[in-house]
Amino acid sequence: MRPPHPLALLRYAALTLGALAMALPFADMFLGALRTPQELLAVPQVYWPRDPQWRNFARVFDELPMATWLANSVFVTSAITLLQLITSAMAGYALAKFRVPGTTLMLRLVLGAQMFPFFLLIIPIFFLLRFVPLLGGNDLWGQGGSGLLGSYAALVLPFAVSWYGIFLMRQFCLGVPDEVIDAARLDGAGEFRIFLTIVLPLIRPGLATLGIFVFVYHWNEVIWTITVTRGASGLQTLPVGIYLLRGAFADQSTEALQRAAICISVLPVMLVFLGLQRFYVRGLTAGSVKG
Amino acid sequence: MSAGSSSAFAARGLAPYLFLAPAALFALVFLVGPLGFALWVSTTDWNGIGAARPVGWGNYRYLFEQDPFFMRSLLNTFLFAAGSLIVGVPLALGIAVLIARSRLQSMWRMLFWLPMITNIVAIAYIWRFLLNDTNGLLNRALDLLGLPGPDWLTGINWAMPSLIMVSAWMTLGHNVLLFLAGLNEIDHSYHEAAELDGAGPLRLFWHVTLPLLRPTLLFVTVTSLITALSSFALMLVMTEGGPARATTVAGLYLYDMAFTDLRLGRASAAAFVLAAIILAFSLAQFRLLRRGGVERH
């Protein structure tokens, strides 16, 4: 091996500095979760915990509805992921492999719909869900109750379809050879059987990419969840519950607990991400940069 | 022609529509319907509970002529977006160039990606702790150096720059990834030819890499701008728009107008104004960056 070029050394030094700037904030959060109340109240605050309070990670489950939040996060995120996988694969397949009147229009819709920012839709969707007739205590005219707002449906349904997901699945379905599909048709297979037994297995890498992407995105979603669950504490997800209960941590001696709860909210996504990183990266670059 | 094959054909004729049905239904219920509803609400004085009276263009006129904070919130939005672009894009490009020439690419990429998979509440609190006036790591480090630490999030002049810094930190990995993808597409022979001609690393970057990276640069700039102009989650969770509205961007302002003040007409009008501004900006930017030079490589 030849000795490293001085420029290369400089490059690695700069990259290490950058990596430290990315990792240190997380380490600071974690260290703080291990401090004792006395260490938190000391002036100046003790930075390096002398007697690491690992119990803090268990205590947040005793003292906060962490288990409910965690269950809600898992349920809502899984439901959205599953729904988006199904709807994206179906629509993506139709847009890739069928040429019938209406598919061009739908493709344009899929591309155009991605341009509408969420802040434009959040107000009308909130009130449309509230005024769903006959549900959540509403009468026939959608008055009197809270409609779908107090239910999981309010957290899941507005994200049942992803335009980006449909587009991504279409790209993957385009790679499925027509011959395979036609051969199955000649063998007398129905269209849904072809979709289930031939197309889905062939686009499995695409489904993995979309699945992990959707999971990470919706685990971290807060704006819509804050809006819908401000008054429905039983429906709050991990990040949202921690945020809305911030008043409980006003006393500085409880800072470590808040930090512990936040660490727990970050951990599941980190694990999923580290395990499935290659699928995730592919989803982000697919179809974005076409030189 | 047997009856069987014709019914199979009929099933095939219907199949694509059945595959598309969920998406089409969703588009109606969660896109077209809400957009139409919002457009109508923006021309009324609806408060979410009582009856709605039509006010025509009244809400739009109110926002520009009378509303004491809407223009301020737009200004804050532009400030935030400009800051995010100026800090975030060159930084991401620099890091991507460094990574592209190094070993362990995926490790570096992953490190810079960490904030992208972290929920915004965690990011907000990580930085609220780091930027705390007295106990935060940053001011304690400055204190050790004998420097006075600023009141990062509570000072009127410091809050917006602090948010820009956090936002740049948070989105860095995304832009690094896009730049890396762009850099990896560049044909190595260009660099080899330039190196043979004796070009140094800086000249190589300026005269070879950058022009070839133009499509990626365009894409990153436009998406960063759109994201920055429409984002308000960070402000909501981190500063709640304060201090003294210094970080109330338009998205947050209209969100509060809708869900705190229940002024749905004005909030919807503000949402359409902001959406129109974002659209205009992204179209203009496309034109500007496309004109003259490499359109595609």
Side-chain angles (χ1 to χ4, degrees), chain B residues 45-94:
Chain B
D45 67 349
W46 195 43
N47 62 6
I49 305 154
R53 272 182 314 154
V55 295
W57 289 100
N59 289 325
Y60 293 91
R61 209 175 298 134
Y62 176 87
L63 286 173
F64 287 106
E65 288 172 5
Q66 280 163 283
D67 191 301
F69 298 115
F70 184 61
M71 295 309 269
R72 172 76 200 282
S73 76
L74 279 181
L75 194 69
N76 283 342
T77 309
F78 296 145
L79 215 61
F80 176 74
S84 302
L85 279 191
I86 292 168
V87 177
V89 176
L91 199 61
L93 178 59

Side-chain angles (χ1 to χ4, degrees), chain A residues 126-154:
Chain A
F126 180 89
F127 284 95
L128 287 174
L129 287 174
R130 191 188 144 153
F131 292 118
V132 176
L134 298 177
L135 287 172
N138 278 351
D139 60 20
L140 189 59
W141 311 108
Q143 303 291 319
S146 58
L148 280 178
L149 283 186
S151 69
Y152 286 107

